[in-house]
Amino acid sequence: MTQEVYAMPGIGSQTPSYPNIPHITPSQRDSLLRSEADSLLLSAKAFVKAGDLPKALTVAQTGLEYYVQLRDYKSMGGAWHWIASIHYYQGNYKKALDGYEKSGNHYRRCNFTKGIAAAHSNQGAIHHALGHYPAALIQFKKAVKMARSLPTQQQTIISLHNIGAIYLELEDWENAQSYFEQTEAWCRKHGDRKTLSQVLIGLGDIQLQKGNYQEARSHFEDAQELAQELADRQRMLEALYKLGTVFKAQEVYEQSFVYYDQALRLARELDNALYQGRIATALGQLWLGQGSPNKALVRCTEAHALAQELNLIPEQAEACDCLYEANKMLSRNRQALQFYERLMGHRENLKAQETVQMMQQMEFEKELVLDSVAQVEKARRLKAKHYAELAQRKRQRNYLLLVAGVILVLSLGLYSRMLYIKKAKARLQVEKDRSEALLLNILPEKIAEELKEKGEVDAQYRKRVAILFSDFKGFTEIASQLGPQPLVEEINCCFKAFDHIMERYALEKIKTIGDAYMAAGGLPEEDGAAVKRMVRAALEMQRFMARRKKENNLLGKPAFDMRVGIHVGPIVAGIVGIKKFQYDVWGDTVNTASRMESHGAIGKVNISQDTYVLLQDQPDFAFAYRGRIPAKGKGDLAMYFVERVGHTPVVEVPWDKSERALIS
C-alpha cells in the first residue's frame, strides 16, 4: 500500500525534543511522543466541548502529526475522526467527508471494526446533509453490516437512526418515526443520553412538519434540557434553533426572538457559520414581520455574507428575499431590484438542484426496491434448499417420516395462503386509503363521513358564514394573448396558491367557475373567528397576485389583475345529485358576495356592511367607506375597502432541512 504523506498547514514537522533527558532511547522517545499526542487529542476534545473549534482543529492536527511519526494507524484514525468532526461542526462538509474517509482507511489497516463502522456512518451523515441520499444509504448500510459484529449495538442503532432521517427528508413520516422510536427505546434502555438528545430533535422535526406544535415543542425542550445536562453545546444550539422555529410557526414572536437570540449567541461561540446564517435569516424575517426593516436589513446582510462564504444556494436565496423586502419597505428601490434579480437567479439554480434531487430520490427508491428483491431472492433460495433437504430425507426415512413430511408441506401451503390473504388485505387497505384521501380532497371531513355512513348528506343551515368570490379582470383579453396551455398553467398557478392560503387559514374552497374562485368560512361547523380569517386570506390572495404580476412583468408575460368580494350571512349547504357530486352552498348571501366582487376594485378587498359590523373593532384592520353603491338586483349596498394595519408581506417558514443525521 502506498505510504500517505501528511502536510499540515501551520504545524511544525519536527518531533518534540526533550532537552532535560540526556540519554533517551528510541523506545523512551516513542513513549514520550505518544503521551504528548494523546494529551493533545484530549485537549482537542476539551476545546470542542468548550466551543473553541479553531483551537481544537489546530491541536488535533498537531496530535495527528505525532501519530504519523509513530505509524500508529488506530490513533491516526481517531485523530482524523476528530478533525473531520470539527470541520462538520464548522459547516465545511467537503473537508469533513475527506477526513472521515481517511479515518476509515487507517482503521482498516489495523482491523479496528468499531472505527470502520463509525467512519461509514459519519460519511453517510455528510452525504445526507448534502442531499446525496443514495450515497448516504450505501454508507449507512455498510455501517450496519460492520456494527453487527460488535459486542454492543450502539453503532447499529446510530446507523438505523440515520436511515430514519433519510425517510424524514422524503417526508415519509411513518417510516421515519418508526426508526426514530426504535432508536429512542434503545437509548432509554441502555442510558445513551447523548444519542437520545439527537433522536428527540428528529422526533420533534416530524411533529413540526405535521403541524403538531405542542408535541414538537415538548421534544425540542427535552432535547435542550438533556444537552444542557451533558454540556453538549452543539446539540443545545440545534434545540434552541428548533424551539425558535416552533414559536415562529405559531406566530408567538416574542418567544421566537428569545430562542433565536440564544441560539445565535451560542452559534457564534461555537464558530458555527451554517447556523449563524440560518438564525440571522430567521431573525431578519421576524423583524420584517414586526415592521422593522432596518433591523431586518442588518440581520439578513449578515446571513447573506455567511451563505456566500459557505456557497449555500438555498440560504442565499432566503437572505436575498429578506433583503429585497427590507429595501422595498425602506423605499430603496435600486437596492431592492438588485436583490430581487439575485433572488430570481438563485431560484433558477434551486430548480436545477431540485431536478437533481428528484433523480437522486429515484435512485434511492430504486436502491430500496433492489434491496427488497435481493431479500426475497435470498428467502426463495433458502426455501428451495429446505425443500430439497426434505425430499432427500423422504427417500431415506420410513413411512412415518413421509407422513410427517406431507403434513409439513400442507402446513407450509396453509402458511403461504395466509400470507397471500394478508397481502391481499394490505393491498385492499391501500386502495381504500387512496379512495378516502380522494373523497376528503373533494368534501369536508365531516361531510365525507356522513356520506360514507348514510349514502347521502343532510342539508345544513348556518346563520353566519363568510362567502368569498374572486375574479380576474380582463381575462378574455389576456386569454387571447396566451395559448391554451400557458393560459391553463397560469390559472392553475394562481388557484393552487389560493388553495394553500385557504388551507392555512382553515377555510373551505367551494369551487371554481372559469376564472372565478369561491370559498366559505364557518363550514361545515360554525366558527366565530372564520370571518376575520377570511378577510386575512383575501388580503393574502391579493398580495400573491401582486407578486405574480411583478414576476410576469419581469419575464415579459401578461398577468392577471383580480377583484375580491366578501359578504357574511345565512346559507344552506349540502350535496345534490348522484354523479360528480360536490359540496355547494345556496342563499342570498352567495348572491350578495358575488355583487361585492363585481363592484370591487383591482388589488382591493371589497366587503359588505354586515362584514364591516363584525370586524370594525378589530385593531389590525383599517376600513375605507365607499358609500352606497347600486348593485344589480340588490339596490344600493354599503361597501368598504379593508386593509391590514401595519401590514408587512407574509414570510412563510420554510421546511428546515438541517442535518438530521448523527455524527458518531
Side-chain angles (χ1 to χ4, degrees):
M1 183 176 292
T2 304
Q3 176 67 36
E4 293 191 58
V5 179
Y6 298 89
M8 296 298 172
I11 301 175
S13 59
Q14 300 299 319
T15 305
S17 60
Y18 303 96
N20 296 327
I21 305 176
H23 303 291
I24 185 169
T25 66
S27 176
Q28 290 172 329
R29 171 192 169 281
D30 287 350
S31 177
L32 290 170
L33 187 60
R34 183 179 305 282
S35 177
E36 181 73 15
D38 291 344
S39 178
L40 286 169
L41 258 292
L42 287 174
S43 297
K45 296 175 185 179
F47 283 126
V48 169
K49 190 172 183 180
D52 191 347
L53 298 181
K55 184 67 174 177
L57 184 61
T58 301
V59 173
Q61 287 173 331
T62 305
L64 171 62
E65 186 178 85
Y66 295 169
Y67 288 133
V68 169
Q69 295 178 41
L70 292 167
R71 296 184 179 275
D72 182 346
Y73 295 116
K74 182 176 179 181
S75 296
M76 288 160 67
W80 271 116
H81 169 93
W82 276 100
I83 291 170
S85 296
I86 294 167
H87 285 310
Y88 173 84
Y89 292 139
Q90 291 178 320
N92 195 331
Y93 294 145
K94 184 177 180 181
K95 289 186 177 180
L97 191 61
D98 180 65
Y100 286 131
E101 184 176 356
K102 289 179 178 177
S103 174
N105 289 339
H106 289 306
Y107 284 142
R108 287 187 190 91
R109 299 181 74 172
C110 60
N111 295 318
F112 183 42
T113 304
K114 182 178 180 181
I116 299 170
H120 282 307
S121 181
N122 292 339
Q123 289 178 73
I126 302 298
H127 284 301
H128 172 268
L130 294 171
H132 304 156
Y133 303 136
L137 182 64
I138 290 170
Q139 294 296 336
F140 290 150
K141 285 184 175 180
K142 288 180 179 179
V144 170
K145 183 177 180 181
M146 297 294 298
R148 280 176 177 161
S149 64
L150 297 173
T152 64
Q153 290 184 294
Q154 183 177 27
Q155 190 60 54
T156 303
I157 290 298
I158 289 176
S159 298
L160 291 175
H161 172 278
N162 290 339
I163 294 173
I166 292 181
Y167 279 113
L168 184 59
E169 294 290 354
L170 299 177
E171 301 183 23
D172 186 344
W173 316 129
E174 184 176 351
N175 275 321
Q177 186 154 354
S178 174
Y179 276 100
F180 287 155
E181 287 178 347
Q182 289 179 55
T183 312
E184 180 190 20
W186 187 91
C187 290
R188 294 190 185 281
K189 180 179 179 180
H190 294 83
D192 186 350
R193 303 169 73 207
K194 181 178 180 180
T195 305
L196 179 60
S197 67
Q198 297 172 291
V199 175
L200 289 172
I201 290 176
L203 289 168
D205 274 328
I206 294 174
Q207 299 305 323
L208 177 59
Q209 301 311 317
K210 287 183 175 182
N212 300 330
Y213 300 127
Q214 193 60 41
E215 292 183 40
R217 175 183 168 188
S218 177
H219 284 305
F220 294 145
E221 286 177 342
D222 289 346
Q224 181 202 9
E225 182 178 347
L226 198 54
Q228 195 166 9
E229 292 175 4
L230 297 170
D232 188 342
R233 290 157 61 83
Q234 178 64 30
R235 213 62 57 210
M236 286 172 61
L237 167 59
E238 294 176 20
L240 289 169
Y241 174 69
K242 297 294 184 183
L243 284 166
T245 303
V246 169
F247 283 108
K248 183 180 178 184
Q250 293 179 286
E251 299 183 1
V252 184
Y253 299 127
E254 183 177 352
Q255 282 295 100
S256 185
F257 271 119
V258 170
Y259 282 110
Y260 278 148
D261 285 337
Q262 292 179 17
L264 184 59
R265 285 196 298 272
L266 188 53
R268 287 171 176 166
E269 292 174 9
L270 295 174
D271 193 30
N272 191 319
L274 177 66
Y275 269 93
Q276 286 182 56
R278 286 177 177 167
I279 298 164
T281 299
L283 285 168
Q285 292 169 342
L286 282 177
W287 282 122
L288 280 177
Q290 297 294 308
S292 300
N294 285 312
K295 294 181 179 179
L297 202 62
V298 172
R299 290 300 188 191
C300 292
T301 300
E302 176 188 354
H304 187 250
L306 289 167
Q308 283 184 312
E309 182 181 342
L310 296 174
N311 194 28
L312 299 174
I313 301 300
E315 281 75 7
Q316 288 184 56
E318 284 192 43
C320 284
D321 190 23
C322 175
L323 289 168
Y324 160 66
E325 296 292 351
N327 281 291
K328 186 172 66 172
M329 291 176 66
L330 293 168
S331 299
R332 300 171 60 179
N333 297 327
R334 185 172 62 84
Q335 292 89 335
L337 180 59
Q338 289 176 351
F339 283 109
Y340 184 80
E341 289 173 349
R342 292 186 190 179
L343 174 62
M344 292 298 103
H346 291 319
R347 285 181 176 173
E348 288 300 320
N349 288 336
L350 287 173
K351 287 181 181 178
Q353 289 183 7
E354 287 174 3
T355 302
V356 173
Q357 288 178 354
M358 287 175 64
M359 297 299 294
Q360 290 175 340
Q361 181 172 336
M362 290 171 64
E363 288 296 321
F364 170 72
E365 291 170 350
K366 174 184 173 183
E367 189 76 24
L368 292 180
V369 171
L370 291 175
D371 185 60
S372 298
V373 170
Q375 293 295 331
V376 171
E377 177 63 17
K378 182 178 179 181
R380 187 194 66 78
R381 289 178 180 177
L382 289 173
K383 193 172 184 180
K385 183 179 179 181
H386 176 65
Y387 280 131
E389 290 175 355
L390 285 177
Q392 181 75 15
R393 291 171 184 172
K394 285 178 184 177
R395 290 191 294 269
Q396 297 174 353
R397 295 181 182 178
N398 56 26
Y399 178 76
L400 182 60
L401 290 178
L402 178 62
V403 172
V406 172
I407 294 174
L408 177 61
V409 172
L410 290 175
S411 299
L412 289 172
L414 289 173
Y415 177 68
S416 298
R417 183 63 181 172
M418 289 174 62
L419 286 179
Y420 174 79
I421 294 172
K422 184 178 180 180
K423 290 179 180 178
K425 287 182 177 179
R427 288 195 293 269
L428 288 173
Q429 184 62 43
V430 169
E431 293 302 322
K432 180 183 177 183
D433 292 342
R434 288 177 179 172
S435 299
E436 290 189 356
L438 180 61
L439 187 62
L440 290 174
N441 194 37
I442 299 172
L443 304 175
E445 183 177 359
K446 183 177 179 182
I447 302 301
E449 290 297 328
E450 185 177 352
L451 183 63
K452 287 191 293 184
E453 291 177 6
K454 299 166 54 179
E456 60 181 6
V457 176
D458 295 333
Q460 299 175 315
Y461 173 76
R462 295 289 180 263
K463 292 182 179 180
R464 190 170 76 186
V465 174
I467 301 295
L468 174 145
F469 273 96
S470 75
D471 190 63
F472 297 144
K473 184 181 179 184
F475 176 78
T476 304
E477 179 182 350
I478 293 176
S480 66
Q481 300 175 31
L482 295 171
Q485 186 63 28
L487 176 63
V488 172
E489 289 176 355
E490 183 64 22
I491 295 175
N492 185 50
C493 175
C494 297
F495 283 176
K496 281 172 64 178
F498 296 169
D499 288 347
H500 287 308
I501 291 170
M502 292 303 153
E503 183 178 1
R504 190 158 58 250
Y505 285 99
L507 303 169
E508 283 292 335
K509 172 186 176 182
I510 300 300
K511 59 185 174 183
T512 59
I513 309 168
D515 61 322
Y517 188 95
M518 179 182 177
L523 286 177
E525 297 295 335
E526 292 186 357
D527 184 354
V531 179
K532 180 178 179 180
R533 295 201 308 275
M534 181 64 82
V535 172
R536 292 179 67 182
L539 291 167
E540 189 166 334
M541 289 167 65
Q542 287 289 23
R543 289 195 295 276
F544 168 81
M545 293 303 297
R547 290 195 300 270
R548 184 67 179 172
K549 184 172 184 179
K550 185 180 296 183
E551 293 172 0
N552 283 356
N553 288 341
L554 289 174
L555 297 173
K557 295 167 56 179
F560 294 125
D561 291 314
M562 186 176 72
R563 298 185 301 265
V564 178
I566 299 173
H567 178 58
V568 179
I571 59 92
V572 174
I575 297 175
V576 294
I578 58 174
K579 296 179 67 177
K580 295 184 179 180
F581 52 78
Q582 72 173 35
Y583 187 66
D584 209 344
V585 296
W586 300 271
D588 187 61
T589 298
V590 177
N591 298 330
T592 304
S594 178
R595 298 296 182 272
M596 291 299 113
E597 175 273 313
S598 61
H599 289 79
I602 293 172
K604 297 288 187 179
V605 176
N606 191 35
I607 64 173
S608 64
Q609 174 73 29
D610 292 343
T611 311
Y612 167 74
V613 169
L614 292 172
L615 299 177
Q616 60 182 332
D617 295 329
Q618 295 291 329
D620 51 345
F621 291 131
F623 304 92
Y625 180 55
R626 304 180 61 198
R628 300 185 67 84
I629 298 175
K632 181 179 178 181
K634 297 294 179 183
D636 295 342
L637 298 177
M639 301 185 190
Y640 297 79
F641 284 142
V642 60
E643 294 285 353
R644 290 282 296 277
V645 174
H647 169 70
T648 56
V650 173
V651 181
E652 295 204 31
V653 180
W655 180 15
D656 174 52
K657 293 196 174 183
S658 61
E659 52 279 5
R660 297 187 180 91
L662 305 185
I663 289 294
S664 301

